[in-house]
Amino acid sequence: MSSVAMPFYQRRHKHFDQSYRNIQTRYVLEEYAARKAASRQAAYYESPGLGKTTCRLCARRARTLAHEAIQESRKRTHEQKSHASEEKRIRFASELSALEKEIHTARHRAREHLDRLVIQRMVEENMALERHAVEESVSRAPEILVRLRSHTVWEKMSVSLCFTVQGFPTPVVQWYKNEELITPASDPAKYRIESKYGVHVLHINRADFDDSATYSAVATNVHGQASTNCAVIVRRFRGDEEPHPAGIMPFHLPLSYDVCFTHIDVQFLEKFGVTFGTEGETLTLKCSMLITPDLKRLRPRAEWYRDDVLIKDSKWTKLYFGEGQAALSFTHLNKDDEGLYTLRMVTKGGVSEYSAYLFVRDADALIAGAPGAPMDVKCHDANRDYVIVTWKPPNTTSESPVIGYFVDKCEVGLENWVQCNDAPVKICKYPVTGLYEGRSYIFRVRAVNSAGISRPSRVSEPVAALDPVDLERTQTIHVDEGRKIVISKDDLEGDIQIPGPPTNVHASEISKTYVVLSWDPPVPRGREPLTYFIEKSMVGSGSWQRVNAQVAVKSPRYAVFDLAEGKSYVFRVLSANKHGISDPSEITQPIQPQDTVVVPSAPGRVVATRNTKTSVVVQWDKPKHEEDLYGYYIDYSVVGSNRWEPSNHKPIKYNRFVVHGLETGEQYVFRVKAVNAVGFSENSQESEAITVQAALTCPSYPHGITLLNCDGHSMTLGWKAPKYSGGSPILGYYMDKREANHQNWHEVNSSLITRTIYTVEDLTEDAFYEFKVAAANLVGIGQPSDPSEHFKCKAWTMPEPGPAYDLTVCEVRNTSLVLLWKAPVYEGKSPITGYLVDYKEVDTEDWITANEKPTSKRYFKVTDLHEGHTYVFKVRAVNDAGVGKSSEISEPVLVEARPGTKEIFSGVDDEGNIFLAFECKEATDASHFAWGKSYEEIDDSDKFKIETEGNHSKLYFKNPDKSDLGTYSISVSDTDGVSSSFVMDDEEFERLMTLSNEIKNPTIPLKSELAYEVLEKGEVRFWIQAESLSPDSTFRFVINDKEVENSDRYKINCDRSNGIIEMVMDRFTIDNEGTYTVQIQDGKAKNQSSLVLIGDAFKAVLAESELQRKEFLRKQGPHFSEFLYWKVTEECEVLLACKVANTKKETVFKWYKDGSGIDVDEVPDLQKGECHLSIPRLSRKDEGVYKATLSDDRGHDVSALELSGKVYDDIILALSGVSGKSASPLKILCTEEGIRLQCFLKYYNEEMKVNWSHRESKISSGEKMKIGGGEDVAWLQIGEPTEKDKGNYTFEIFGDKESYKRTLDLSGQGIFIRPDLYDRGKVIGGLPDVVTIMDGKTLNLTCTVFGNPDPEVVWFKNDKAFELNEHYAFSLEQGKYASLTIKGVTSEDSGKYSIHVKNKYGGETVDVTVSVYKHGETMPEIKPGQLAKPRRIPPSEEV
């Protein structure tokens, strides 16, 4: 038996078949078969009279009935000899046979039912036992056995994603879509999750386009986690594309079931095109196909190739083929993935293939200007501690050149990258040493230039540090029963004391910076491990130097660095084991470090030729020496831009390349450079400039052949021109015809048909014909159209019009398009009055009429369409007889604006001519710009002129007038439907006419209209500025219709270089009110500007002029350059400040408040230009009007500031802001009344806006909580704090810009549980402070006491304790009601009585004054309602 352990997921299930091969099952069945016969038959039949009966009873009854039937038959045989008796016998015999068959079936079903029950019970018992045993013995992290598989489906199809996982305890599985958790409860109609026997399934119902995503499943238990993911791609139908073709034959004929397919036909439907990606992205190349026949057991094989190298599933690429689609997914793009990708569908009948190029651009550099990452990192010549790493350099078109590379290594399974070389290596090859034997490594490379270091390359494939010779030194001998014996040469060679010297020492690789030495191990090598020592000697020196003195070498290869440039060296190698070192090997030949590979020479002549609308074929001559080339890089540049862009990002090995991604109609030049391990060649010479256009080909096929009219002997046909002309104008068409059911086609015309309509003559009436049309251009005749439908040659006599034809869709935008058509050839019995336009989406059946009333025009703009939807259209002509035949249905149109869509724009040229212009970069040499008005081609040369140059076209209006209003259109042939329209309405026409008039009748453009400004001395300057003035320009100033000349009163000046004309009025008075005008003339151009200064406008100028004059006079003496203002210092002082100017030593400065002088300690230094007055602690007493005065013999100036009202409030706010910054944290102070929260500040004033809050509720000052403060502190007093007073307390002070908060949490403060505050002895109440009583009465003093523990209560008289007797009685009831009774008071009982209540935490003393008066005396007056005030007793105080 096999010793291989059964997998966990297989051991958890047992499978049984009808052969009952399982031993336990066979034993149960044998035991079951041995039971009595009655218990084996368990099948029951329902009967109205008998109920359920066993099969044995049925058989007995059947035999009885059969016996009776036979006896009766025999009797009747003897009695009746006729033909009728024979028929009865046959009938009875058939009934008997049917009954026996029914009994047999019932027996068989009963036996099967009972067998299934027994087997199921046995399986459940065995599985329960086995599950318990497995769960007891197995405990492991989740392990995915069958991973998720990617799917590509059509819209509205369902998808099931499934995978298998094992683990114990049973893993919990969660599903994710693009890393977001999927919850079926959120969308039960969309998702359904199933889990059974370790197989987990996610069902996605009716997938739509938004379900395209990356799906992942994560299985988790207490021992770990495992995950798997896949991609789901949902395809959307477009046009007439079908997910399941209804048929491939033109007629729906029944197919034979006995078809023998000799081969499988693969037809590609939707292909991947030239693709552009960026490093780090994910990407999928997919191709859908139609496989005929689609046989499940005989399917083609999908193979993907990159540059003719077969691609397999890996960490970077995932392959998928199924459901009519092949896909190649990239999990993380790198430039290594760039290349020509080919999909080959391999069948027994041959290979179908399709190819397209994938370009991968560099990701954005981590450092600006750093180069792109290297690529294609590979490992060679791996050994025990040595490997050679090679790579390819990045293209540095726009970056500075690469100066070197860093090589990094990392052990497989770790993430610790170690840099192998200290200095950048200059060539694309590096020997890495110092590897640990038996470990696996991966490598990556980073490029370096003057700007920085690039991103790392894609990591190499893992390589193991093993000696490949070790495999050759072992031999495996297979013996019987699967055993084998492994023999090593080490064992055969035995023990070798000192090894022999290595042999064949030579330089396997030589470069400028290192030499790689290789040698053969000594023979015999022996069982002990060998190490090697390398020695070098400079030729002629005579001395040897050990290279690897510190580290022994285990591999028979070593890279020697640090060699002098231009010097020759010889080397020798010594082998060693634990017994000793061998003799040196033979000395190598002299070796000089030098680069054996040099920089390649530049490629030769570069030639660019047209290919497609977005690509160009570039070819070049190879350099002279191409043996060591990695390949070539191609760059391109737009002519005139001098900016080069890389075309390929990975070297190509051929001297021909197709450059994709170019802009149609743009001119480009190209250059090429060669690259090898040393570096890049010089750039080749630039190619000739080439315009990107499609190469000349035959035109595509016409389509849409329509019957337009028939008179019984001829047919008029119309068709649509080919979509593409092949780059050359279409010269005409050839038409063929044939009768229905005929095989041969016949020419209709021998000379070209120049229009898309033609009448075919000499036809047979009532015969059916079909036609096809082919277009011809300069290159040749293109493919013919598909055959038309069968047209019957029968004369049209209907009263309604025939079909419109030549439906053309243009101006496709996001929600609208324009439909054009031509009028029917057959009008019917009356003229055509209009047209109806119908449309529908391709997936629907109901047509929608776009216009309620027929339009008389042969164009219509269909609006309110849905962006991204596909529509088809048709047109019906209308006359008095009704609606005519429908036109041919248009091709499906996707309603979506093409990227880069351009529109017609209007303008006026330098000569004042109005034009409409359009640019189309997709135009080719064969393209024709067709201008139209109301969608009719313009041919009126008297009103319009058309100029077309390259991809630009202009429509000029010769004599524009109101008749030119309307809709103008343009369409460009030989493009993908490029078209546009422009509505010339009244507003646009007036704008263009105005602009044209300005150009034809020029005005001097002004930068600034006439304006004024008031100068420093009160002068008024009027000025105007033109764009430019020539030296011959003239001007004049007019004031109130009177020209003014240059004089002392009106100083007029003109700066023609800057275009400024100005007039300065020295004295502006009330007489100067009026209108000011400047008139300018420069050649034919004129202009003028006016300024009206009347009423309020004039008064404002006059007031400003007088103010400036006064200010000027004020500043002639000492004055304030800045008037009084206030500011707050960091020390919370208020400074009143002002700035002075034009002072001298004799200038006097004084401060005043409310008219009274202020004495200052220090006289301000006016030479500093700034004076201050300090107010240390601002309060209401500081309010008032402050003044500062300046005076000397030249004049006097005053500045005042009223420090009250809003100014005072603003200063308080500013003080609050400064003080709030200095606020200390809240602190706790315990007082006799309770707790005080304090916040210390630099300055505090009760007028500051502050807020205390408890648990976010504002606190108002009251008996329980009091708010106050001092000069440098703000506090909150909490009297008799309780549990309710716990919580957060916040102190907030509001400044002018922000507020400042300090918070304290009293929830856990021990102050709330201080026994000396809460549990000490207390007198709750009941005692007055004074008692007056008549002698002879009984005095009772009663109060309530409290304490925990219960306090001790002592009474005193005049601060002395007294003994209790019959006169004095004391009682304490219930531990809280204390009383003192004095019976028959006398005058001697007058005095101070005190009660002391105290426990271990302290207590209180309450005094009561007792006054006894005699009978007949007036009772002393006392103030009622006053209670005695207690005095505290500290815990240490003795009673």
Side-chain angles (χ1 to χ4, degrees), residues 552-614:
V553 177
K554 298 180 181 179
S555 302
R557 288 163 186 75
Y558 188 74
V560 181
F561 291 87
D562 300 327
L563 301 176
E565 186 176 356
K567 302 293 184 180
S568 296
Y569 293 84
V570 291
F571 301 90
R572 65 185 184 185
V573 182
L574 299 88
S575 58
N577 60 13
K578 69 178 184 180
H579 300 295
I581 301 176
S582 72
D583 294 331
S585 67
E586 293 183 2
I587 300 174
T588 65
Q589 294 295 323
I591 300 171
Q592 181 176 349
Q594 60 185 359
D595 288 332
T596 57
V597 180
V598 297
V599 176
S601 57
R605 185 171 63 98
V606 180
V607 178
T609 55
R610 289 165 55 176
N611 187 42
T612 68
K613 292 184 177 181
T614 58

Side-chain angles (χ1 to χ4, degrees), residues 67 296 316 355 573 610 719 740 1032 1351 1433:
H67 180 72
K296 293 184 178 179
W316 312 108
S355 301
V573 182
R610 289 165 55 176
W719 59 89
D1032 298 330
I1433 302 174

Side-chain angles (χ1 to χ4, degrees), residues 1-4 476-486:
M1 293 182 59
S2 174
S3 62
V4 179
T476 302
I477 302 175
H478 294 274
V479 296
D480 58 341
E481 297 183 358
R483 292 178 296 172
K484 57 186 178 180
I485 300 175
V486 180

